Amino acid sequence: PGELSGMTFRDITPEAWHLPEERVLADVDAKGFAEVFEKEYRRKDGSILPVAVRLHRHPDSPGEDRRYFAVVRDIADVKAIEADLRQAKEAAETANRAKSDFLAKMSHEIRTPLHAVIGMTELTLGTELSPQQRDALETAREAAGSLLGIINDVLDLSRIEAKGLELV
């Protein structure tokens, strides 16, 4: 308390905040108060403390000595939580992009050989086959077609997630 009594707000406010705070003080002089705003104070050890401040002019009427009443709240915990949430959001977005990229690449890698299977099945169906062989190949072709449809849907979904799908 003894050290603080001889200090002004500028002594505990980092230089970067001096000009913005002057604008806030001018607003307080005009209106008598300021909305809650965030700024930083410098602790005795030099570390920075984020705070939320609400200023009131005291006394209310202009023309008298310029004094202010401030309600200051330490928001370091809130800022730490916000930073953690931002980091978690970025990590989730990165993981989601990686998942979408993986799905797109895997879908493509599976589709290519599946097209070969369907093509070879079609070619074989064009030859002379026993009814049993033809039935087996038609079943294989239908299953491959169904699988290709699923893979195309997965690929479309990954494109939608990556915002790369264009509608025509």
Side-chain angles (χ1 to χ4, degrees):
E3 288 178 64
L4 280 175
S5 66
M7 300 172 105
T8 69
F9 71 92
R10 286 186 175 270
D11 296 324
I12 60 172
T13 302
E15 177 114 9
W17 287 96
H18 289 187
L19 185 59
E21 197 159 61
E22 282 298 324
R23 287 192 289 263
V24 171
L25 291 175
D27 193 39
V28 172
D29 284 339
K31 294 192 314 187
F33 67 94
E35 298 298 327
V36 175
F37 65 98
E38 293 181 6
K39 65 171 280 186
E40 295 171 335
Y41 281 135
R42 187 176 37 252
R43 292 186 177 111
K44 186 175 182 176
D45 66 3
S47 62
I48 298 298
L49 173 69
V51 294
V53 180
R54 173 141 184 157
L55 288 172
H56 292 272
R57 183 166 167 37
H58 182 76
D60 289 345
S61 54
E64 299 180 30
D65 286 344
R66 185 172 159 177
R67 294 185 194 158
Y68 304 95
F69 173 76
V71 177
V72 179
R73 185 172 45 97
D74 177 351
I75 58 171
D77 291 343
V78 172
K79 290 296 182 182
I81 291 169
E82 286 175 355
D84 289 347
L85 286 173
R86 232 182 340 272
Q87 187 177 6
K89 180 181 180 253
E90 289 169 6
E93 288 172 348
T94 299
N96 192 42
R97 278 191 301 274
K99 177 200 69 150
S100 294
D101 289 346
F102 173 77
L103 282 176
K105 287 176 182 157
M106 287 306 299
S107 296
H108 179 73
E109 293 301 320
I110 293 171
R111 273 185 356 171
T112 302
L114 193 54
H115 278 296
V117 169
I118 292 171
M120 295 308 286
T121 304
E122 291 289 336
L123 286 174
T124 308
L125 281 170
T127 64
E128 201 170 306
L129 300 168
S130 71
Q132 192 175 16
Q133 290 172 323
R134 182 166 302 283
D135 184 53
L137 283 174
E138 285 176 355
T139 302
R141 179 182 61 187
E142 288 174 19
S146 296
L147 185 57
L148 184 60
I150 292 169
I151 291 168
N152 285 335
D153 290 346
V154 169
L155 186 58
D156 287 345
L157 181 62
S158 67
R159 283 186 186 141
I160 290 170
E161 287 180 343
K163 297 181 177 148
L165 183 69
E166 292 183 23
L167 296 177
V168 179

